[in-house]
Amino acid sequence: MTYVGVASAEDPTSVRARQIGIEPGVLQPGTYNAITDVDGVRVGHVTLRKGDSIRTGATAILPHGGNLFQDKVPAAVVVANGFGKLMGSTQVDELGEIETPIVLTNTLGVPRAAEAIVNWTLAYPGNERVVSVNALVGETNDSRLNDIRSRPLTAEIIAEAITGARSGAVAEGSVGAGTGTVAFGWKGGIGTSSRVLPKKLGGYTVGVLVQSNFGGILQMDGVPIGEALGQYYLKQELNDSSSDGSIIIVVATDAPLSPGNLRRLGNRTLAGLARTGSSFSNGSGDYAISFSTAAGVRRTPAVRAAVAEIQDLPNDQISPLFQAAIESAEEAIYNSMLMARTERSFNTVERSWVTVDALPVERVKEILRAHGRKMQ
């Protein structure tokens, strides 16, 4: 019933963008081309498939492997369109820091995800006197493929994503919080990517993880894939709702940034989202959560106890990080779709079977090749 791990998506035909020659931007990815290329960052998934109608899960992102409540990290939240339920965002806005794992799940799973975070935080050694926890939970609505009203995810199940979080390779596609998601009318999911700056630009790493569940007119590497495949927003009628949905973008860096510059970094991921053809529609919750893992900006108990010296990268040196965030976000979205599998489920609200196909990789390659791209 449940699955926890960092294996590849189950469909053997799934590929990452770079495996077929899609390499957005000019910067180089890290070792895993994942958010975990940022030192210390961990990711865990729990996937729940049960019967005909349960297709859901949760994904946890831990900024470091220690006590997050005691050693908080500077952070920011960016809202492109606020049709969503990003729990805990107001305290991040106010204080500029994250003190718990970030958990992504489905819309009606948010309260139980928060419970899982609170339970984990209170039980963590060193937190015996903690009486307030700001759980940070992002969501997208997977009700097309998942019986969301039954709320099958418990706090105990979601906790497996937190306790199972690891560094290294990250599972993508139809796993964790991406199990029941839909993007551009095809199967969406979890995707990730990273960029490493040259040493003369600081050598910093930027990593992005996305939960894609949104719509618009799909473009890949600047090529109008959605139009060529005949599936896109506004094709049939102006009130078509295929652009609705949401995306959560989590961006991590080891560059020493202030909350203000982390907000700017999060804003740049929206440029990567725009490159994929998102419509940022009325019913889409589009959010970016950004944080820095740099030791020189961490809010340790000693730092919080008195006036402290904090490292901060100058504004004039931050533009390369912006480029890294844009490229990583774009590629992470492509990976979330290319690694996804076709999903079939019985929709308990509409009382009908629903099949959401995986993006047809071979057709995508043909279209890209026809537009002059070199495909592998």
Side-chain angles (χ1 to χ4, degrees):
M1 183 174 68
T2 61
Y3 159 86
V4 182
V6 293
S8 298
E10 298 171 32
D11 189 341
T13 65
S14 299
V15 295
R16 303 192 81 193
R18 286 176 183 263
Q19 290 178 266
I20 60 173
I22 301 175
E23 302 178 357
V26 298
L27 297 170
Q28 293 300 307
T31 301
Y32 299 103
N33 193 14
I35 194 172
T36 49
D37 287 320
V38 179
D39 189 42
V41 176
R42 291 159 166 77
V43 174
H45 300 299
V46 60
T47 300
L48 184 59
R49 288 191 178 90
K50 184 179 179 182
D52 293 333
S53 302
I54 304 301
R55 309 285 187 270
T56 193
T59 296
I61 303 96
L62 279 63
H64 61 76
N67 189 329
L68 290 165
F69 188 88
Q70 300 299 335
D71 295 338
K72 310 175 197 293
V73 296
V77 171
V78 171
V79 182
N81 193 68
F83 195 97
K85 293 82 187 166
L86 183 53
M87 179 177 284
S89 63
T90 56
Q91 183 168 311
V92 177
D93 285 341
E94 186 70 21
L95 303 183
E97 60 192 26
I98 291 174
E99 63 186 25
T100 69
I102 302 163
V103 172
L104 311 181
T105 188
N106 71 59
T107 305
L108 298 186
V110 170
R112 287 172 179 168
E115 183 181 355
I117 292 172
V118 171
N119 291 344
W120 182 86
T121 302
L122 293 180
Y124 203 98
N127 291 344
E128 292 78 12
R129 298 179 64 85
V130 170
V131 295
S132 174
V133 178
N134 185 50
L136 188 56
V137 184
E139 56 78 29
T140 69
N141 194 304
D142 59 13
S143 60
R144 183 173 176 186
L145 285 168
N146 175 51
D147 181 11
I148 195 170
R149 288 174 56 87
S150 70
R151 294 182 289 170
L153 290 171
T154 65
E156 291 73 25
I157 291 174
I158 295 171
E160 295 179 42
I162 301 174
T163 58
R166 299 289 184 270
S167 57
V170 176
E172 299 174 284
S174 307
V175 296
T179 302
T181 62
V182 181
F184 297 104
W186 288 282
K187 186 66 188 69
I190 295 295
T192 188
S193 184
S194 70
R195 295 294 186 273
V196 180
L197 299 186
K199 289 191 180 297
K200 64 180 180 181
L201 295 177
Y204 302 116
T205 300
V206 173
V208 169
L209 181 144
V210 302
Q211 178 192 18
S212 65
N213 191 49
F214 63 101
I217 305 171
L218 177 62
Q219 300 180 66
M220 301 182 80
D221 199 24
V223 174
I225 299 295
E227 291 179 78
L229 292 176
Q231 181 164 283
Y232 53 91
Y233 175 51
L234 297 180
K235 178 186 176 182
Q236 301 296 332
E237 54 190 4
L238 289 177
N239 66 353
D240 182 284
S241 62
S242 64
S243 71
D244 283 347
S246 298
I247 184 169
I248 304 294
I249 304 171
V250 180
V251 54
T253 184
D254 56 6
L257 299 183
S258 66
N261 272 337
L262 284 166
R263 180 179 298 279
R264 299 175 73 201
L265 188 70
N267 266 317
R268 269 50 179 199
T269 66
L270 302 177
L273 173 59
R275 288 181 178 183
T276 69
S278 170
S279 294
F280 295 87
S281 73
N282 172 71
S284 185
D286 306 313
Y287 299 90
I289 304 167
S290 53
F291 62 86
S292 170
T293 66
V297 295
R298 194 165 294 180
R299 289 23 179 343
T300 64
V303 168
R304 300 197 310 274
V307 177
E309 293 185 2
I310 299 293
Q311 296 180 5
D312 189 14
L313 195 69
N315 290 334
D316 288 345
Q317 296 180 25
I318 199 172
S319 291
L321 293 172
F322 291 165
Q323 182 66 29
I326 293 168
E327 294 181 11
S328 297
E330 181 183 4
E331 187 169 348
I333 293 167
Y334 297 154
N335 285 336
S336 76
M337 299 182 67
L338 290 166
M339 288 294 288
R341 54 179 263 184
T342 295
E343 199 74 63
R344 179 172 169 80
S345 177
F346 184 76
N347 187 303
T348 57
V349 175
E350 300 296 332
R351 308 302 300 173
S352 62
W353 285 95
V354 174
T355 299
V356 178
D357 293 323
L359 193 64
V361 175
E362 292 305 316
R363 285 284 291 120
V364 168
K365 290 167 65 175
E366 291 174 7
I367 296 164
L368 288 167
R369 194 175 291 115
H371 281 77
R373 305 303 191 271
K374 294 182 179 180
M375 293 287 98
Q376 296 181 8

